[in-house]
């Protein structure tokens, strides 16, 4: 498996080299190419292509990050590379596909089997180039406990190197009061993936922004919130998710995702962004009937739900309880009379995701 991962890295670096070559041949610096990309996206001449930053382009060319197909198609055409960038991209994708194929048998093994099979590795971890970086970072540190922290960082680094699990992004969506956050917590605990809750990340800033704009801090229904604030909440959530992936951390995204899961173009961009970082995207929709959602909202008594509860008929007229995402997804039943608990459904979905890797 290590050899195959090395093959992926080599192919990724080769793609970066080819991209840098044709960019230079066309007379563009990294900033110049990024400006061309942003202009093409803004003018609708690069549909579906993400407007990457100069930092992302530098990571592509250095082989530290994988660009997606749409970007490579745009770059190949813009730089007049005659298909050379796409050929390098295809070679990288083939290497990634081979790695995933060989990883499948391992993904179904139990944790106990992994520990037995790799016990000798745990006893004698192989040194990596980052070991020196970690050791140098703590060299000469006189803070009490710094040696213990150094040991924990090294242990975590070796533990991460021994894992062969692919990165995952799971978007858990649902209406207010559907139980999506509760399910996301169970899913995060079962898979040991980081949970990123939109409200936790953005609420303090959102509330102050709403007040500054002359609205109520708990406003989640006005045009002002929906048009001026909400898009930036999701931007912050997705930026945090991408940074976690770049650090090798799988994430469970906890947010309503009402508009997003109904927008094929948005979902395509998310899929491309995840794939560019070596991650598999999965979607979970938490289904709940209107009566149960009312009970859940009443029980949690959150100030941001006051308008919904006070104007329940008006609010429910704006939602479709039978809504389903436009992309393939897992469906969770969280009605009060559901036959299976959220914990059981979370465990089942984690197992299904791992089988599908």
């Amino acid at each position: 498996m290590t050899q195959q991962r090395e093959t992926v890295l080599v192919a990724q670096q080769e793609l970066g080299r080819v991209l840098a070559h044709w960019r230079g041949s066309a007379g563009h610096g990294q900033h110049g190419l990024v400006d061309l990309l942003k202009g093409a996206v803004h003018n609708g001449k690069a549909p579906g292509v993400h407007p990457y930053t100069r930092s992302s382009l530098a990571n592509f060319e250095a082989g530290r990050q994988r660009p997606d197909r749409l970007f490579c198609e745009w770059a190949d055409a813009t730089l007049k590379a005659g298909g050379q960038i796409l050929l390098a991209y295809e070679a990288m994708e083939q290497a990634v596909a081979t790695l995933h194929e060989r990883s499948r048998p391992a993904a179904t093994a139990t944790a106990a089997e992994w520990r037995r099979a790799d016990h000798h590795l745990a006893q004698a971890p192989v040194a990596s180039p980052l070991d020196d970086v970690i050791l140098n970072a703590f060299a000469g540190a006189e803070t009490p406990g710094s040696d213990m922290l150094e040991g924990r960082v090294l242990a975590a680094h070796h533990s991460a190197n021994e894992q062969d699990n692919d990165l995952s992004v799971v978007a858990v969506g649902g209406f207010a009061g559907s139980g999506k956050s509760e399910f996301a917590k169970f899913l995060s605990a079962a898979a040991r993936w980081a949970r990123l809750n939109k409200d936790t990340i953005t609420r303090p800033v959102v509330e102050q922004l709403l007040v500054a704009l002359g609205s109520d801090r708990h406003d989640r229904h006005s045009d002002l919130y929906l048009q001026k604030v909400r898009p930036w909440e999701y931007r912050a959530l997705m930026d945090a998710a991408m940074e976690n992936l770049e650090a090798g951390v799988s994430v469970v995204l906890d947010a309503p995702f009402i508009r997003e899961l109904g927008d094929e173009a948005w979902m395509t961009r998310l899929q491309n962004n995840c794939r560019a970082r070596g991650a598999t995207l999965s979607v979970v929709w938490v289904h709940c009937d209107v009566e149960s959602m009312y009970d859940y909202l009443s029980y949690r008594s959150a100030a941001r739900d006051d308008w919904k509860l006070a104007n329940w008929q008006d609010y429910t007229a704006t939602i479709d309880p039978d809504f389903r995402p436009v992309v393939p997804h897992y469906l969770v039943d969280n009605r009060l009379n559901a036959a299976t608990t959220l914990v059981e459904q979370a465990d089942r979905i984690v197992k299904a995701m791992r089988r599908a890797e």
Side-chain angles (χ1 to χ4, degrees):
M1 192 63 63
T2 301
Q3 181 179 357
Q4 190 58 41
R5 286 189 180 279
E6 182 67 25
T7 301
V8 171
L9 179 58
V10 170
Q12 192 168 309
Q13 291 171 338
E14 175 62 15
L15 171 57
R17 187 194 66 77
V18 172
L19 177 59
H21 167 76
W22 284 102
R23 174 183 57 75
S25 296
H28 298 299
Q30 291 180 340
H31 284 289
L33 184 59
V34 166
D35 287 343
L36 283 177
L37 172 60
K38 290 180 178 179
V41 171
H42 179 74
N43 295 324
K45 296 180 179 180
V49 181
H50 182 76
Y52 289 110
T53 63
R54 204 284 308 173
S55 177
S56 293
L57 178 58
N59 284 333
F60 294 159
E61 294 186 353
R64 291 189 295 266
Q65 187 176 325
R66 295 203 293 265
D68 59 81
R69 171 178 284 278
L70 289 177
F71 170 79
C72 288
E73 290 176 349
W74 174 85
D76 197 278
T78 301
L79 301 176
K80 297 180 172 56
Q84 294 301 306
I85 295 175
L86 280 176
L87 281 175
Y89 173 83
E90 293 290 353
M92 180 196 70
E93 283 291 283
Q94 182 58 52
V96 171
T98 301
L99 172 62
H100 287 181
E101 185 65 29
R102 294 183 180 180
S103 296
R104 285 176 182 167
T108 61
T110 65
E113 289 170 337
W114 271 107
R115 285 195 293 271
R116 286 196 298 271
D118 290 341
H119 183 60
H120 64 288
L121 292 178
Q123 290 177 327
V126 178
S128 77
L130 274 180
D131 285 1
D132 289 337
V133 175
I134 295 169
L135 290 171
N136 289 335
F138 290 96
E142 297 179 358
T143 305
S146 61
D147 55 339
M148 295 178 61
L149 177 58
E150 174 188 316
R152 290 199 299 272
V153 173
L154 281 169
H157 170 56
H158 285 292
S159 176
N161 282 343
E162 290 167 11
Q163 295 177 3
D164 257 338
N165 294 330
D166 293 326
L167 288 173
S168 295
V169 175
V170 185
V172 179
F175 293 111
S178 63
K180 62 185 174 298
S181 292
E182 185 180 5
F183 180 81
K185 289 179 182 178
F186 291 140
L187 191 67
S188 173
R192 297 196 175 190
W193 297 333
R195 180 176 74 98
L196 301 181
N197 177 276
K198 177 179 70 68
D199 288 340
T200 301
I201 293 174
T202 66
R203 184 185 298 157
V205 174
V206 165
E207 290 182 352
Q208 293 304 312
L209 177 58
L210 286 167
V211 171
L213 292 173
S215 184
D216 182 87
R217 62 187 297 191
H218 301 303
D219 171 18
R220 298 297 186 276
H221 62 279
S222 71
D223 287 341
L224 183 147
Y225 166 75
L226 295 174
Q227 297 176 14
K228 301 294 185 181
V229 179
R230 185 185 184 279
W232 299 106
E233 288 186 286
Y234 280 86
R235 171 67 180 272
L237 176 65
M238 303 318 299
D239 284 351
M242 295 305 113
E243 286 194 353
N244 272 269
L245 293 180
E246 289 165 4
V249 179
S250 293
V251 292
V252 176
L253 304 181
D254 176 5
F257 287 113
I258 308 302
R259 291 183 180 179
E260 291 71 20
L261 294 181
D263 185 338
E264 289 188 15
W266 194 93
M267 292 305 300
T268 296
R269 288 194 297 272
L270 176 57
Q271 176 75 50
N272 289 338
N273 286 336
C274 292
R275 186 179 294 121
R277 292 162 176 81
T280 299
L281 173 66
S282 301
V283 172
V284 176
W285 179 254
V286 181
H287 171 61
C288 193
D289 56 86
V290 171
E291 293 77 14
S292 298
M293 286 190 280
Y294 184 88
D295 289 341
Y296 287 131
L297 291 180
S298 299
Y299 176 76
R300 77 183 184 187
S301 299
R304 65 185 182 279
D305 298 326
D306 286 348
W307 182 88
K308 295 184 182 72
L309 292 171
N311 302 272
W312 190 247
Q313 295 301 321
D314 292 337
Y315 166 66
T316 54
T318 68
I319 67 173
D320 176 9
D322 295 321
F323 169 84
R324 296 291 184 271
V326 295
V327 295
H329 59 278
Y330 297 92
L331 185 65
V332 171
D333 184 0
N334 195 33
R335 295 171 295 175
L336 287 178
N337 61 349
T340 310
T341 67
L342 284 185
V343 175
E344 293 171 325
Q345 293 184 72
D347 183 64
R348 173 176 55 81
I349 288 177
V350 167
K351 290 178 180 176
M353 289 177 181
R354 286 176 172 163
R355 286 195 299 270
E357 288 179 350

